[in-house]
Amino acid sequence: MASVATREGRLKQTIKDADQLRWQNGTGAAVSVGEIIAITTASGKRMAAMVLTSEAGTSTIAADAWGQVLIRGRVKVDKSESTAFAQGKTVWWDASANQADSSATANTMSDFVVGMCTTAATAAATTVEVDLNQGPDEGSPGSSSSSSSSSSSSSSSSSSSSSSSSSSTAAG
């Protein structure tokens, strides 16, 4: 099971129909493969991403190093054992509790949308399955929920997906 963190980083690539992106860790600390992190686009939108690989071939991406992150796909994230999720509902990340949350009203500026619940999860369950960055509430407190188009500051390989037509560039 993946651990989850709420660290900001910078993307160096245009987000357009991508499942994976090359990402530079600008968080100031190492992040582990499997962690869920928040990345911020140039338009101010915060997105969830799962750390996949380190270009150094290690299990962590050191500060200022490069790796691949997943921004679309199904993942399981930790959740409170007192919170139930219905299929199709928005899953928020509660940074203070370091777990998934179903209530947008309880969230603060450091919280963000992880995605949409793909399989109902009972209150007793310890994880919830989420479609990353998909669903009706694809925004975060204090940020724009719309995407804007901009040129990329660097290019790299990524997987293509036809599930989205929005385009954003992350802060560089």
Side-chain angles (χ1 to χ4, degrees), residues 15-171:
I15 302 169
K16 183 174 182 179
D17 300 330
D19 291 327
Q20 296 179 25
L21 297 171
R22 184 173 186 238
W23 173 75
Q24 183 178 22
N25 180 359
T27 67
V31 294
S32 298
V33 170
E35 282 188 58
I36 299 291
I37 57 173
I39 56 177
T40 304
T41 66
S43 66
K45 180 178 179 181
R46 298 179 75 204
M47 298 177 68
M50 176 179 270
V51 179
L52 293 178
T53 61
S54 162
E55 287 187 3
T58 62
S59 62
T60 61
I61 302 174
D64 298 320
W66 291 87
Q68 292 284 322
V69 296
L70 180 71
I71 61 165
R72 277 197 206 95
R74 289 191 179 178
V75 298
K76 285 188 177 180
V77 297
D78 294 335
K79 68 167 210 59
S80 165
E81 290 186 27
S82 63
T83 304
F85 288 91
Q87 183 178 13
K89 294 298 181 182
T90 298
V91 178
W92 285 81
W93 189 251
D94 182 346
S96 62
N98 203 31
Q99 61 190 5
D101 186 346
S102 63
S103 173
T105 59
N107 293 312
T108 65
M109 295 297 288
S110 61
D111 299 341
F112 58 95
V113 171
V114 177
M116 182 179 65
C117 177
T118 58
T119 304
T122 65
T126 59
T127 62
V128 60
E129 187 175 285
V130 177
D131 225 351
L132 280 175
N133 299 307
Q134 302 298 311
D137 295 327
E138 296 177 3
S140 294
S143 70
S144 167
S145 62
S146 64
S147 298
S148 66
S149 184
S150 178
S151 63
S152 67
S153 57
S154 119
S155 63
S156 65
S157 62
S158 67
S159 299
S160 293
S161 168
S162 59
S163 63
S164 174
S165 60
S166 67
S167 175
S168 297
T169 302

